[in-house]
């Protein structure tokens, strides 16, 4: 086996060969005992002020995007919206650390990461609008469709990353998951394959404390979700998920490590879902107001604004510019969601198989005939 050769492993001392398999030293893989932070530490001064301002601006625009999308659900303009309010630092950092040729594998909660990656904000919401298909071109944007079945995006990311590596392309895939997603079989299979194959993948678990109404304590008995990495033979990192510069650094290190052939990393970002699970959920039924209030004090935008003003890299003008950009985006969303998209029902058949089956051709012909008959009635 050449793929594992760079690791330090030896058989179990005094045991028979074969059955012991390679052994990896677990100590260097363990996460730090407390989450990595930049804000409130001397490390913050070492960041490029331009990056800090960029993170701040994207957080502010992202928050407004979350609020406007939630409002659109109340107006019946968007079918469902799982907001990432409170989790914007993870969303923005995940998008920023990837290069143009890398791939993002988002879940349903990660629309903002998709938008931060450069996908049109309206197109990113097509699926959640219930219109048709994904709305954006995954290949053009190197962004997989928003994934609703929990954790299935994880093995997709591993497969893509492994294939890219076999082709000699320096592509890294970043898969975004929730705390609940770590209980899924797909999560475990993905981590195992990634570590065994040395796939250039980063797994970002946004631990927002809940899987709908299920709190983390009822989800996992692990010391932390980052510890789950160790059993598979990859490093686990724990980071304050509301500290945007810290998330950016930890993810950058993981991406660079993957790109250099060092294999996968599991990052657990501690954060909180300020809004309900979606517009169809009432979070007051399973969590308390003091709990939410405590997290509002640890808000990613609040933390950034205070810290950046303290460093002297953010002033009233930049704060106003970010707010204006956010309002302009919200206005565009309201205007464009006011009209329903024109959809071709025949496009239903377009992406099912490369070569349509006889049954599909038959159904397509039937629909075409029905549409033609309807058009004739409408013309009369
Ligand atoms: C395979 C699968 N099982 C169940 C569901 C239903 N479901 C949707 S969201 C959710 C909770 C997921 O929680 P978490 O992974 O923590 O992500 P979060 O919503 O907090 O971002 C569940 C159980 C699903 N979408 N897919
Ligand atoms: Mg969760």
């Amino acid at each position: 086996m050449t793929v594992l050769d760079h690791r330090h492993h030896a058989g179990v001392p005094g045991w028979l060969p074969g059955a012991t398999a390679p052994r990896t030293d677990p100590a260097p893989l363990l996460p730090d005992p407390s989450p990595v932070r930049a804000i409130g530490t001397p490390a913050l001064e070492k960041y490029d002020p331009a990056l800090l301002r960029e993170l701040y601006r994207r957080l502010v625009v992202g928050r407004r995007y979350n609020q406007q999308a939630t409002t659109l659900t109340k107006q019946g303009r968007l079918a469902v919206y799982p907001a990432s309010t409170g989790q914007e630092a993870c969303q923005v950092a995940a998008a920023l650390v990837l290069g143009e040729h890398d791939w993002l594998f988002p879940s349903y909660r990660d629309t903002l990461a998709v938008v931060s990656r450069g996908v049109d904000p309206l197109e990113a919401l097509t699926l959640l609008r219930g219109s048709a298909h994904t709305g954006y071109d995954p290949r053009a944007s190197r962004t997989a469709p928003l994934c609703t079945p929990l954790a299935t995006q994880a093995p997709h990311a591993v497969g893509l990353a492994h294939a890219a590596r076999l082709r000699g392309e320096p592509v890294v895939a970043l898969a975004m998951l929730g705390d609940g997603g770590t209980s899924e079989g797909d999560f475990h299979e993905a981590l195992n394959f990634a570590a065994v194959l040395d796939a250039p993948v980063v797994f970002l678990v946004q631990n927002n404390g809940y899987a709908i109404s299920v709190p983390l304590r009822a989800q996992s008995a692990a010391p932390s979700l980052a510890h789950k990495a160790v059993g598979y033979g990859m490093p686990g990192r724990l980071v304050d998920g509301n500290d945007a510069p810290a998330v950016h650094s930890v993810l950058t290190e993981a991406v660079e490590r993957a790109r250099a052939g060092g294999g996968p990393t599991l990052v657990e970002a501690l954060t909180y879902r300020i809004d309900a699970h979606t517009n169809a959920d009432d979070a007051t039924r399973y969590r308390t107001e003091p709990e939410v209030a405590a997290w509002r004090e640890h808000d990613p935008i609040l933390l950034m604004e205070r810290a950046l003003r303290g460093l002297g890299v953010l002033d009233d003008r930049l704060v106003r510019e970010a707010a204006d950009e956010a309002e302009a985006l919200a206005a565009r969303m309201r205007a464009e969601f006011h009209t329903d998209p024109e959809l071709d029902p025949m496009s239903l058949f377009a992406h099912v198989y490369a070569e349509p089956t006889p049954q599909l051709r038959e159904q397509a012909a039937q629909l075409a005939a029905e549409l033609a008959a309807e058009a004739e009635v409408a013309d009369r």
Side-chain angles (χ1 to χ4, degrees):
M1 285 286 281
T2 53
V3 287
L4 293 172
D5 277 356
H6 73 282
R7 297 232 175 101
H8 308 287
H9 47 70
V12 174
W15 199 249
L16 299 173
T20 52
R23 295 285 149 163
T24 305
D25 178 5
L29 306 180
L30 284 164
D32 290 335
S34 53
V36 175
R37 290 202 164 109
I39 292 176
T41 78
L44 194 67
E45 288 169 33
K46 301 204 179 74
Y47 282 76
D48 177 1
L51 171 67
L52 294 176
R53 287 192 203 105
E54 178 68 2
L55 285 166
Y56 170 78
R57 186 182 66 78
R58 284 174 183 253
L59 290 178
V60 170
V61 174
R63 173 65 51 85
R64 190 69 188 89
Y65 176 80
N66 270 323
Q67 288 168 340
Q68 187 59 62
T70 301
T71 305
L72 287 167
T73 62
K74 294 181 178 159
Q75 296 168 344
R77 288 280 154 206
L78 196 55
V80 64
Y81 187 65
S84 58
T85 312
Q87 301 180 213
E88 288 94 345
C90 294
Q91 299 283 311
V92 161
L96 270 184
V97 297
L98 294 180
E100 173 188 2
H101 298 293
D102 296 329
W103 272 79
L104 181 73
F105 284 79
S107 83
Y108 52 86
R109 191 163 311 282
D110 305 317
T111 334
L112 179 56
V114 173
V115 172
S116 246
R117 181 133 169 81
V119 171
D120 179 82
L122 279 298
E123 287 187 1
L125 289 168
T126 306
L127 184 82
L128 298 169
R129 195 177 190 179
S131 302
H133 303 307
T134 299
Y136 53 89
D137 180 350
R139 285 193 182 83
S141 55
R142 302 227 159 200
T143 303
L146 301 173
C147 201
T148 297
L150 299 179
T152 53
Q153 69 275 27
H156 298 165
V158 177
L160 184 133
H162 181 53
R165 186 161 176 256
L166 291 179
R167 291 194 191 117
E169 297 164 358
V171 171
V172 175
L174 191 153
M176 300 180 78
L177 300 125
D179 43 294
T182 66
S183 296
E184 290 288 333
D186 276 309
F187 174 75
H188 299 279
E189 291 167 28
L191 262 70
N192 192 52
F193 265 119
V196 169
L197 298 170
D198 257 344
V201 192
V202 177
F203 302 98
L204 170 60
V205 174
Q206 292 170 83
N207 174 2
N208 61 11
Y210 291 87
I212 313 182
S213 58
V214 177
L216 186 70
R217 65 178 177 279
Q219 184 75 246
S220 174
S224 80
L225 297 176
H227 277 82
K228 291 186 182 239
V230 184
Y232 296 102
M234 73 176 77
R237 304 289 314 274
L238 191 61
V239 62
D240 180 338
N242 287 11
D243 181 330
V247 184
H248 187 272
S249 294
V250 168
L251 289 179
T252 299
E253 273 172 40
V255 167
E256 281 172 4
R257 183 172 173 274
R259 205 183 308 285
T265 304
L266 170 66
V267 177
E268 176 185 3
L270 301 175
T271 184
Y272 195 76
R273 195 195 73 213
I274 291 292
D275 288 339
H277 176 69
T278 66
N279 46 304
D281 172 46
D282 174 6
T284 64
R285 295 181 61 178
Y286 54 85
R287 60 185 203 186
T288 64
E289 190 42 48
E291 179 182 302
V292 183
W295 279 94
R296 282 189 196 281
E297 288 299 307
H298 194 64
D299 181 89
I301 300 180
L302 200 66
L303 295 182
M304 271 301 260
E305 187 172 338
R306 265 192 220 139
L308 269 51
R309 280 187 188 269
L311 278 183
V313 301
L314 188 74
D315 58 17
D316 289 346
R317 183 179 60 86
L318 289 170
V319 167
R320 203 173 42 246
E321 275 175 19
D324 290 348
E325 185 186 337
E327 277 318 311
L329 172 64
R332 191 187 145 208
M333 289 165 75
R334 289 194 297 274
E336 295 195 22
F337 269 87
H338 200 60
T339 48
D340 283 326
E342 290 276 332
L343 296 169
D344 176 11
M346 293 305 294
S347 70
L348 265 180
F349 299 94
H351 305 289
V352 186
Y353 293 107
E355 280 296 316
T357 60
Q359 291 88 343
L360 265 189
R361 269 195 236 112
E362 196 183 310
Q363 289 169 18
Q366 196 179 341
L367 180 60
E370 279 176 26
L371 291 171
E374 253 179 40
E376 205 177 299
V377 172
D379 279 349
R380 271 192 219 142

